[in-house]
Amino acid sequence: MADIIQLLPDHVANQIAAGEVVQRPASVVKELLENAIDAGAATIKLIIKDAGKTLVQVIDDGNGMSVTDARLSFERHATSKIRTADDLFQLNTKGFRGEALASIAAIAHVELKTKQEGDDVGTCIVIEGSAVQSQEVVVTPKGTSLSVKNLFFNIPARRNFLKSNVVETRHIIDEFHRVALAHPSIGFVMFHNGSEVFNLPESNYRQRIVNIFGTKTNEKLVPVNEDTEVLKISGFVGKPEFAKKSRGEQFFFVNDRFIKSAYLNHAIGSAFDGLLKDGAHASYFLNLKVNPQTIDINIHPTKTEIKFDDEHTLYAILRSAVKHSLGQFNIAPVLDFERDANLDTPYSYQQKGTPSVTVDRSFNPFADEKQGATNQTSNYRKEPAAHWESLYVGLESKGTQTRQDYSEVHYESEQKNASIFDNGTPVEQKQSTYQFHNKYVVSTVKSGVLFIDQHRAHQRILYEDFLKNITVKEAMSQQLLFPLQLHFSPQEIEIISQLKADLEHTGFVFQTLEEELVEITGVPVSVPESEVSIILEQLISDVENEVPDSNFSATDLLAKSLAKTLAVKTGQSLTVPEQEHLVNALFACKAPSVSPTNRATFITMTVDELDKKFV
Ligand code: ADP
Ligand code: MG
């Protein structure tokens, strides 16, 4: 039989390699930024169009390339960074595989302009799908500019597989952050569709973090420094009270390279043990320096995973360094204060008779945690959702009585009006909540006073409610008499389409969702028709402005956005029953103490603290 094996032509081999190296525009961004860093650039400019689908361009002021090198750089396994296999364990550069440019040139329209210091003119090469279209002499500044246009133009399947511009932009920004954080001494600028997104001047590490994540980050950072024979650690961890639900800001750099490591991440988690609220993730920006001979970077095509010789030791050092910093900067006592007595007070409602909260409990959005207040009191101590009730333990009988009054009044009026917000409810003087400046609701508890921010508290309540509806998909919808027609730009329609399924789970019903028109025939019961356009506009702007983070969840964002729009505003006056409902519903939440954006919903002042003020 005839021989059937043949060597693949270069352009096919390159296209196959590209499958590994270039998954999306963000991969191109990473490779080009890294090449600019390897070239010794002092400033690097990244220019993106249409989330990188139309253009990714990186301009650096580094060493540039000679004519021959410029041409060779697009060959597979062509690299200036290693010569022998031993060099793999002495790496001081980002690149070494020599396949990024070859891969990219196989699947895009590429233009390279480059010039070395001292040369009068530079070289311009145009390559499309691995085929050189032109090579010319050009006038260009020292350094290199590489433009990658129409990514995946010759692989429609890959191009179609790309996500929306919002998602692809997030990936690009993630890569940009990783590279920029690893190199604070290099200046970076990023433009997207003509507008400047980041301008990061050369700076120190703390300044770089702040320039990327905002001025507020500064106060959240706790320095970590450790110098041992096998490992040097420098960088910062976020104070535990600012920890987020999402894993957003978690960065390990090993010898200036961003890497992912679940194992080392665990080391940080265990250093924070007991300091974080449930479900919150520590943020960290940590640089680890190890002997290059003790790691292997060549185990993953995108080089984001590496193999350490002695992971266990690194784990132990990292954990103790972070623990030490947290201790040294006195983080723990702050939290102890937050875990204030109130929430731990033993339950003793039995003696108080049937409380009005029986009614309010039905507002608990979490069905599985709902229970009759009277017959299951003995379990309350173990139920997290019941914590709020302990806040009322030991209230003077007057206070308790007040709630009973509401309860009775509420029952009496039930036939006529099922709403607990019935404004006609006689309040009399016996009330246990007060509204203050149309902004705070003040409520007394056994050990002191609670000041609740009404807007944030209501956001928390609505947020958990929406999240639950989206997750269990059981929201009620109210039918509109006439369909509501709203007009949006195609880009905005894109965003709404991405969230359509989730929106439907909250109770929206879409009849049409096309080019520039949305027609809605049903809305969630809690949403007035007049608010719908505001809600959608807010939602779109939230999606567009969302600070990128690798754990981006559309569901979470939707719930946050709806809660923000619909929550009672500061300045709105609340009736006493409304105040009471707010307090009860808040403490029936899973995480009552923070708003969906992680701000405090209430503060407490204990009797002890008050006493101290009177000495
Ligand atoms: P690698 O970075 O792994 O060596 P690449 O395909 O990314 O492989 O690049 C091939 C070669 O092209 C590099 O080794 C380098 O010599 C040269 N090169 C690429 N980008 C630049 C740049 N921005 N400035 C100078 N030289 C570059
Ligand atoms: Mg490279």
Side-chain angles (χ1 to χ4, degrees):
M1 217 169 111
D3 298 334
I4 51 171
I5 298 181
Q6 50 180 309
L7 276 178
L8 290 173
D10 271 355
H11 68 276
V12 180
N14 285 339
Q15 212 171 23
I16 292 171
E20 280 198 323
V21 182
V22 186
Q23 273 122 31
R24 47 176 19 118
S27 331
V28 175
V29 169
K30 172 179 188 283
E31 294 298 336
L32 298 190
L33 290 177
E34 291 190 346
N35 278 349
I37 288 165
D38 287 344
T43 45
I44 299 175
K45 198 166 167 183
L46 169 65
I47 299 168
I48 302 292
K49 287 214 177 102
D50 301 326
K53 294 171 186 172
T54 315
L55 173 75
V56 173
Q57 182 177 15
V58 170
I59 304 172
D60 69 56
D61 56 1
N63 298 330
M65 286 178 257
S66 69
V67 186
T68 322
D69 283 355
R71 186 67 176 255
L72 257 184
S73 67
F74 292 105
E75 294 296 323
R76 204 141 67 94
H77 306 309
T79 179
S80 55
K81 299 168 194 176
I82 59 168
R83 288 183 188 278
T84 69
D86 286 347
D87 292 346
L88 279 174
F89 298 93
Q90 300 289 349
L91 285 171
N92 289 313
T93 52
K94 299 272 160 307
F96 56 85
R97 298 166 67 105
E99 57 187 7
L101 292 190
S103 301
I104 293 167
I107 51 168
H109 296 162
V110 174
E111 184 191 83
L112 164 73
K113 283 185 185 169
T114 188
K115 188 176 84 87
Q116 290 183 308
E117 180 100 77
D119 287 354
D120 293 335
V121 286
T123 311
C124 174
I125 296 180
V126 177
I127 296 198
E128 297 180 356
S130 294
V132 177
Q133 304 295 314
S134 69
Q135 174 165 351
E136 287 163 9
V137 170
V138 285
V139 176
T140 180
K142 176 210 162 199
T144 302
S145 156
L146 213 127
S147 335
V148 177
K149 293 180 191 153
N150 308 323
L151 189 67
F152 299 132
F153 79 98
N154 51 358
I155 320 179
R158 294 295 296 278
R159 200 170 165 88
N160 295 337
F161 182 72
L162 291 178
K163 297 277 167 35
S164 70
N165 283 4
V166 177
V167 173
E168 293 301 339
T169 307
R170 300 183 67 83
H171 284 291
I172 290 176
I173 292 179
D174 281 348
E175 291 297 350
F176 179 81
H177 283 169
R178 292 166 182 177
V179 175
L181 281 170
H183 298 276
S185 59
I186 297 176
F188 288 88
V189 193
M190 174 176 165
F191 288 89
H192 189 200
N193 291 336
S195 33
E196 190 177 279
V197 190
F198 288 100
N199 188 339
L200 311 172
E202 170 196 346
S203 62
N204 63 27
Y205 193 43
R206 183 188 271 270
Q207 195 58 47
R208 175 59 50 97
I209 296 172
V210 170
N211 285 340
I212 292 179
F213 295 105
T215 21
K216 278 202 192 139
T217 322
N218 200 14
E219 58 178 292
K220 303 179 187 172
L221 300 177
V222 181
V224 179
N225 285 296
E226 187 67 71
D227 201 341
T228 71
E229 220 161 89
V230 286
L231 172 66
K232 288 190 190 10
I233 307 171
S234 63
F236 302 90
V237 292
K239 289 182 186 166
E241 64 263 40
F242 297 110
K244 292 188 182 163
K245 288 270 182 210
S246 70
R247 286 179 183 276
E249 293 152 17
Q250 300 191 326
F251 297 91
F252 277 125
F253 301 94
V254 174
N255 297 356
D256 297 335
R257 188 189 300 277
F258 171 82
I259 60 129
K260 294 178 184 159
S261 166
Y263 185 65
L264 294 185
N265 178 59
H266 190 270
I268 311 274
S270 82
F272 272 84
D273 204 20
L275 295 176
L276 294 175
K277 295 198 186 81
D278 262 2
H281 299 283
S283 57
Y284 52 83
F285 310 84
L286 293 170
N287 298 308
L288 316 185
K289 293 270 193 265
V290 296
N291 183 338
Q293 287 180 345
T294 65
I295 51 173
D296 189 350
I297 300 164
N298 197 24
I299 60 164
H300 194 268
T302 61
K303 298 168 277 191
T304 46
E305 282 163 36
I306 63 181
K307 198 174 149 300
F308 298 96
D309 278 357
D310 184 3
E311 260 190 340
H312 296 306
T313 308
L314 300 192
Y315 183 103
I317 299 173
L318 192 58
R319 179 167 177 266
S320 84
V322 172
K323 257 194 147 143
H324 179 74
S325 293
L326 290 174
Q328 201 178 14
F329 288 86
N330 233 358
I331 304 302
V334 177
L335 270 157
D336 284 348
F337 171 78
E338 277 201 345
R339 284 178 44 87
D340 177 34
N342 292 335
L343 297 177
D344 299 326
T345 316
Y347 183 76
S348 62
Y349 232 130
Q350 290 93 321
Q351 303 96 27
K352 304 285 181 229
T354 309
S356 68
V357 290
T358 313
V359 178
D360 297 328
R361 283 194 71 76
S362 67
F363 284 88
N364 183 344
F366 297 93
D368 54 342
E369 283 166 20
K370 230 182 262 175
Q371 30 184 305
T374 39
N375 55 10
Q376 292 199 27
T377 45
S378 56
N379 291 336
Y380 274 15
R381 220 163 300 169
K382 293 179 191 89
E383 288 291 328
H387 274 166
W388 63 272
E389 288 180 301
S390 61
L391 288 165
Y392 291 97
V393 171
L395 274 181
E396 302 168 37
S397 58
K398 187 181 159 208
T400 311
Q401 192 60 43
T402 310
R403 263 186 300 286
Q404 275 188 348
D405 288 347
Y406 284 137
S407 151
E408 282 151 18
V409 171
H410 176 64
Y411 280 128
E412 277 164 19
S413 62
E414 215 166 31
Q415 270 91 359
K416 284 168 263 158
N417 185 346
S419 166
I420 196 167
F421 290 108
D422 181 2
N423 287 343
T425 306
V427 172
E428 305 180 5
Q429 281 80 31
K430 297 183 270 172
Q431 58 183 68
S432 68
T433 59
Y434 300 88
Q435 196 188 18
F436 182 62
H437 273 231
N438 285 346
K439 185 173 184 188
Y440 298 111
V441 173
V442 184
S443 178
T444 43
V445 291
K446 182 193 175 195
S447 55
V449 188
L450 280 177
F451 295 88
I452 299 165
D453 181 317
Q454 64 187 45
H455 179 58
R456 292 184 190 174
H458 198 205
Q459 276 193 53
R460 162 55 61 185
I461 297 162
L462 293 174
Y463 168 71
E464 293 200 359
D465 215 348
F466 281 121
L467 260 194
K468 186 206 125 208
N469 284 342
I470 299 170
T471 318
V472 304
K473 309 179 178 161
E474 64 169 25
M476 300 272 282
S477 179
Q478 51 172 324
Q479 200 66 20
L480 298 179
L481 212 47
F482 302 103
L484 186 65
Q485 291 199 339
L486 301 166
H487 296 272
F488 291 99
S489 75
Q491 214 175 338
E492 292 169 333
I493 294 281
E494 238 255 86
I495 294 177
I496 299 176
S497 337
Q498 281 174 35
L499 294 170
K500 182 166 174 263
D502 283 341
L503 279 164
E504 284 170 342
H505 296 148
T506 68
F508 281 97
V509 183
F510 293 91
Q511 193 175 53
T512 327
L513 188 59
E514 58 186 25
E515 276 295 35
E516 304 198 352
L517 176 71
V518 180
E519 270 188 298
I520 293 169
T521 53
V523 295
V525 262
S526 54
V527 172
E529 190 178 337
S530 56
E531 299 260 359
V532 173
S533 69
I534 301 171
I535 288 172
L536 292 182
E537 273 161 27
Q538 182 65 48
L539 182 63
I540 290 164
S541 105
D542 285 352
V543 171
E544 284 172 338
N545 298 325
E546 164 76 351
V547 179
D549 114 31
S550 49
N551 260 33
F552 171 74
S553 146
T555 315
D556 190 64
L557 187 135
L558 173 63
K560 272 185 192 151
S561 179
L562 292 178
K564 185 166 71 185
T565 315
L566 292 168
V568 293
K569 304 284 180 295
T570 298
Q572 196 165 327
S573 140
L574 301 178
T575 64
V576 174
E578 283 171 347
Q579 297 165 26
E580 290 252 333
H581 171 63
L582 187 85
V583 177
N584 291 336
L586 175 66
F587 289 103
C589 284
K590 288 196 166 169
S593 59
V594 285
S595 76
T597 49
N598 267 314
R599 307 233 184 105
T601 49
F602 65 87
I603 56 159
T604 53
M605 184 167 276
T606 62
V607 178
D608 285 351
E609 286 172 283
L610 276 172
D611 287 347
K612 275 188 202 136
K613 293 200 186 290
F614 284 102
V615 286

